[in-house]
C-alpha cells in the first residue's frame, strides 16, 4: 500500500528524530537542510534547483541566499591560487 504523508510524519519520522535525540522539526525542513548543505559544498546552484524542482535557478538563489556570504569569503583566496599558478 502507498505511504500516506501523515503516517510517515506522525509514526515514522518523529520516532526517528526522538531515537536520534534530535529536536522535533518539520519533515519539509529536510528539504531546506539538503539544499543548504549542497550549496555550502559548492554544488552548482542549477543542479540544486533541478533537485528541488524550482522553475528557475533565481528562485533557488533567492531562497538560499543566506548560504552565499560564506562562499563569498572564499573568493579572494581562490583568486590568489588561480592567479599564482
Amino acid at each position: 500500500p502507498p505511504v500516506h504523508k501523515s503516517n510517515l510524519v506522525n509514526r515514522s519520522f518523529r520516532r526517528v528524530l526522538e531515537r536520534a535525540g534530535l529536536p522535533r522539526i518539520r519533515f519539509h525542513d529536510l528539504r531546506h537542510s539538503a539544499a543548504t548543505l549542497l550549496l555550502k559544498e559548492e554544488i552548482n546552484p542549477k543542479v540544486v534547483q533541478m533537485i528541488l524542482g524550482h522553475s528557475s535557478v533565481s528562485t533557488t538563489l533567492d531562497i538560499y541566499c543566506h548560504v552565499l556570504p560564506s562562499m563569498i569569503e572564499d573568493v579572494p583566496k581562490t583568486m590568489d591560487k588561480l592567479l599564482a599558478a
Side-chain angles (χ1 to χ4, degrees), residues 2-16 27 30:
V3 175
H4 294 284
K5 179 186 174 212
S6 62
N7 287 342
L8 175 67
V9 174
N10 294 327
R11 293 184 186 160
S12 303
F13 183 60
R14 287 189 184 145
R15 256 191 267 151
V16 168
F27 190 77
L30 295 176

Side-chain angles (χ1 to χ4, degrees), residues 11-78:
R11 293 184 186 160
S12 303
F13 183 60
R14 287 189 184 145
R15 256 191 267 151
V16 168
L17 290 173
E18 287 170 12
R19 277 189 243 144
L22 296 171
R24 204 165 173 172
I25 61 170
R26 297 173 303 151
F27 190 77
H28 188 78
D29 292 336
L30 295 176
R31 173 183 170 90
H32 294 298
S33 297
T36 300
L37 291 170
L38 290 171
L39 290 168
K40 281 189 174 219
E41 287 299 313
E42 299 181 17
I43 300 300
N44 188 304
K46 183 67 179 171
V47 173
V48 177
Q49 173 239 325
M50 292 167 59
I51 291 169
L52 295 175
H54 291 153
S55 59
S56 159
V57 71
S58 64
T59 300
T60 306
L61 292 171
D62 286 344
I63 294 170
Y64 297 99
C65 63
H66 65 279
V67 178
L68 302 177
S70 64
M71 294 171 70
I72 291 169
E73 293 171 8
D74 294 336
V75 170
K77 286 187 275 181
T78 301

